[in-house]
């Protein structure tokens, strides 16, 4: 979903009306508090009645006062600590690689298509949820099966990609083969070189497009795993072809809704389990959480549905960061994280925000949660138990903030004046529901 100039122009035309909801940055663009001095002044005055020193008041009110440069610096540090998985997709065009990305992220085919960016001569990348904070990086090979491409050059490019990869990042090779494609000599050659040069990178053989060899009388998927003779025979043959080049093999068939196969992501659970078994514990847990929280959720509002696909990974990251036991240490980090989320959601709805503007929106929406934020940090003084509560609270709070931002951006897109009461109600309702969800995670 690319930026939408029409929606952006609407927000500009309503600038005076929206200023009560979205504070504008100072002229230098560096302060998130520039548009809400009265709000934060009142907060500070109220806290002076209870806190013993001006220093503590300044600490509280500075949580949201993070410059754009600090946001970038914080996000860079957070990125280094994330349990990020790089999934290297190796397969011919139309072998289901993009469908795997859809299945693992839950985002639409349109967003997946727009998300990939050229990386090297023979690869392109898509980072989910964002380039700044990736939990999964999909590196897709391009040009495989093209007779005009020299296989040796493609292999060299892929080996260089693996050699230069961050050693702290978990990696897995997803070798995709259509179940009715037996012209796989080039793919076999590439997989062989990767296995020889990088045996430490686990490989999952993913056999796709099962429905293409279903018998004519079968109009839908059978129970998983499929026991059809045609499917089992072809699957066995492909496994034999790539024997010694993979660690596990799985069958999937990811289609589009208009194809009328049910479920759309046939074999998704088996794929997730297989990937998780090949990854370290932290990365495997992230993969499971991403799928578990969004499974089965369907919304009539397509933008809201797309927004939730991005809110979830940010909530999971927030929980990880909030588990740090030192009180107040993670507040600037969580703020930067939430500002990044609001900026991404704005772009999804056609609204381009600077970090300062996104910070103003966070401050306005989250103002009523300030006291709870303080309580969340103080509870960390309880050994062990406190950090667990803080983590679930941070995840729920980030989820609720994202939901409230979607309400705000949705109003703007519809040409309405955002209603502060409705936005706050949406956040409160989402927060209560999310607390239960993430407490059980």
């Amino acid at each position: 979903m690319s930026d939408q100039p029409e929606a952006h122009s609407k927000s500009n035309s309503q600038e005076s009306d929206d200023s009560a909801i979205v504070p504008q940055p100072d002229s230098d663009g560096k302060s998130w508090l520039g548009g809400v001095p009265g709000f934060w002044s009142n907060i500070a005055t109220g806290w002076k009645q209870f806190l013993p020193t001006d220093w503590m008041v300044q600490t509280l009110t500075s949580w949201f006062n993070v410059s754009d440069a600090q946001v970038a610096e914080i996000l860079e540090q957070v990125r280094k600590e994330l349990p990020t998985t790089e999934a290297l997709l190796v397969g011919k065009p139309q072998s289901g690689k993009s469908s795997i990305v859809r299945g693992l992220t839950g985002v639409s085919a349109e967003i997946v298509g727009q998300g990939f960016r050229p990386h090297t001569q023979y690869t392109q990348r898509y980072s989910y949820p964002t380039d700044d904070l990736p939990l999964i990086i999909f590196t897709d090979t391009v040009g495989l099966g093209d007779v005009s491409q020299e296989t040796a050059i493609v292999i060299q490019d892929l080996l260089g990609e693996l050699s230069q990869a961050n050693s702290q990042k978990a990696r897995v090779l997803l070798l995709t083969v259509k179940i009715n494609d037996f012209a796989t000599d080039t793919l076999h050659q590439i997989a062989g070189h990767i296995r020889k040069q990088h045996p430490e990178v686990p490989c999952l053989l993913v056999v796709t497009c099962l429905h293409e060899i279903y018998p004519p009388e079968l109009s839908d998927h059978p129970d998983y795993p499929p026991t059809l003779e045609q499917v089992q025979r072809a699957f066995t043959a492909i496994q034999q072809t790539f024997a010694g080049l993979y660690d596990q093999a799985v069958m999937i068939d990811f289609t589009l809704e208009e194809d009328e196969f049910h479920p759309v992501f046939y074999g998704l659970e088996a794929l997730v389990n297989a990937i998780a078994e090949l990854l370290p514990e932290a990365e495997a847990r992230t993969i499971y959480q991403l799928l578990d929280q969004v499974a089965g959720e369907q919304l009539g509002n397509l933008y809201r549905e797309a927004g939730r696909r991005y809110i979830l990974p940010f909530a999971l990251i927030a929980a990880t960061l909030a588990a740090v036991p030192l009180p107040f240490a993670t507040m600037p980090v969580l703020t930067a994280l939430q500002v990044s989320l609001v900026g991404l959601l704005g772009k999804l709805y056609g609204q381009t925000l600077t970090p300062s503007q996104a910070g103003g929106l966070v401050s306005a929406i989250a103002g009523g949660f300030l006291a709870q934020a303080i309580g969340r940090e103080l509870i960390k003084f309880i050994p062990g138990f406190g950090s667990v509560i803080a983590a679930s609270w941070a995840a729920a709070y980030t989820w609720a903030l994202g939901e409230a931002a979607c309400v705000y951006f949705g109003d703007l897109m519809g040409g309405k004046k955002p209603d502060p009461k409705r936005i706050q109600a949406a956040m409160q309702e989402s927060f209560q529901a999310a607390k239960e969800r993430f407490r059980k995670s």
Side-chain angles (χ1 to χ4, degrees), residues 161-179:
E161 171 74 18
L162 287 171
S163 297
Q164 297 175 10
N166 187 338
S167 60
Q168 296 180 342
K169 189 188 307 172
R171 293 174 295 177
V172 61
L173 176 66
L174 302 183
L175 195 62
T176 61
V177 183
K178 290 182 67 173
I179 196 165

Side-chain angles (χ1 to χ4, degrees), residues 268-288:
L268 176 59
E269 183 177 355
L271 175 66
V272 172
N273 289 337
I275 293 176
E277 289 179 11
L278 299 176
L279 292 175
E281 181 180 354
E283 286 77 6
R285 185 168 57 249
T286 297
I287 296 291
Y288 278 126

Side-chain angles (χ1 to χ4, degrees), residues 58-290:
Q58 291 172 2
T59 298
L60 295 176
T61 57
S62 68
W63 283 347
F64 291 98
N65 188 16
V66 185
S67 70
D68 292 359
Q70 286 176 299
V71 170
E73 181 180 354
I74 289 171
L75 293 182
E76 175 62 26
Q77 292 300 316
V78 171
R79 179 168 51 185
K80 294 178 181 179
E81 302 298 326
L82 288 181
T84 302
T85 297
E86 180 177 12
L88 183 63
L89 302 163
V90 178
K92 292 182 182 180
Q94 309 304 315
S95 64
K97 293 179 292 182
S98 293
S99 296
I100 290 175
V101 179
R102 288 193 297 114
L104 293 177
T105 63
V107 300
S108 68
E110 178 186 2
I111 293 177
V112 169
Q114 294 176 356
F116 275 101
R117 296 288 183 269
H119 179 60
T120 66
Q121 184 177 359
Y122 296 104
T123 63
Q124 56 183 359
R125 274 188 170 176
Y126 172 49
S127 299
Y128 176 78
T130 69
D131 290 332
D132 288 330
L133 297 168
L135 286 176
I136 308 178
I137 298 175
F138 297 96
T139 301
D140 183 19
T141 50
V142 295
L144 294 186
D146 188 342
V147 295
S148 66
Q149 306 286 6
E150 294 187 22
T151 303
I153 299 178
V154 176
I155 292 173
Q156 183 179 4
D157 194 60
L158 289 174
L159 291 177
E161 171 74 18
L162 287 171
S163 297
Q164 297 175 10
N166 187 338
S167 60
Q168 296 180 342
K169 189 188 307 172
R171 293 174 295 177
V172 61
L173 176 66
L174 302 183
L175 195 62
T176 61
V177 183
K178 290 182 67 173
I179 196 165
N180 57 354
D181 182 9
F182 293 95
T184 58
D185 290 346
T186 298
L187 194 59
H188 187 280
Q189 186 178 355
I190 292 172
H193 277 81
I194 293 176
R195 191 71 162 182
K196 181 178 180 180
Q197 295 294 324
H198 293 279
E200 77 283 359
V201 178
C203 177
L204 177 63
L205 176 63
V206 185
V207 179
T208 66
C209 305
L210 308 183
H211 71 273
E212 294 191 7
I213 63 170
Y214 285 171
E217 65 272 15
L218 191 64
S219 59
D220 207 346
H221 294 308
D223 293 338
Y224 191 92
T227 57
L228 298 170
E229 181 182 355
Q230 302 94 316
V231 173
Q232 287 294 332
R233 187 188 317 118
F235 183 48
T236 300
I238 293 174
Q239 287 177 290
Q240 292 173 347
T241 298
F242 289 91
L245 301 180
Y246 65 90
D247 297 283
Q248 290 195 40
V250 66
M251 291 182 286
I252 65 170
D253 197 340
F254 293 177
T255 57
L256 299 173
E257 290 188 3
E258 53 264 32
D259 294 328
E260 297 185 349
F261 282 95
H262 306 93
V264 171
F265 296 113
Y266 181 65
L268 176 59
E269 183 177 355
L271 175 66
V272 172
N273 289 337
I275 293 176
E277 289 179 11
L278 299 176
L279 292 175
E281 181 180 354
E283 286 77 6
R285 185 168 57 249
T286 297
I287 296 291
Y288 278 126
Q289 288 175 320
L290 286 174

Side-chain angles (χ1 to χ4, degrees), residues 37-48 57 60-61 367-368 370-371 374:
F39 171 80
W40 286 107
S41 177
N42 291 338
I43 290 292
T45 300
W47 276 100
K48 284 181 181 179
V57 175
L60 295 176
T61 57
L370 181 61
I374 296 167

Side-chain angles (χ1 to χ4, degrees), residues 4-20 22 24 346-347 349-353 357 361 408-418:
Q4 300 180 19
E6 295 83 5
H8 186 61
S9 63
K10 288 179 182 178
S11 65
N12 289 338
S13 66
Q14 296 176 350
E15 183 175 351
S16 60
D17 291 336
D18 299 339
S19 61
V22 183
Q24 301 300 311
K347 186 176 181 181
Y349 280 82
Q351 308 290 320
T352 301
L353 303 178
Q357 291 170 330
L361 182 54
Y408 168 79
F409 289 125
D411 284 347
L412 280 187
M413 178 170 280
K416 303 176 184 177
K417 176 182 177 181

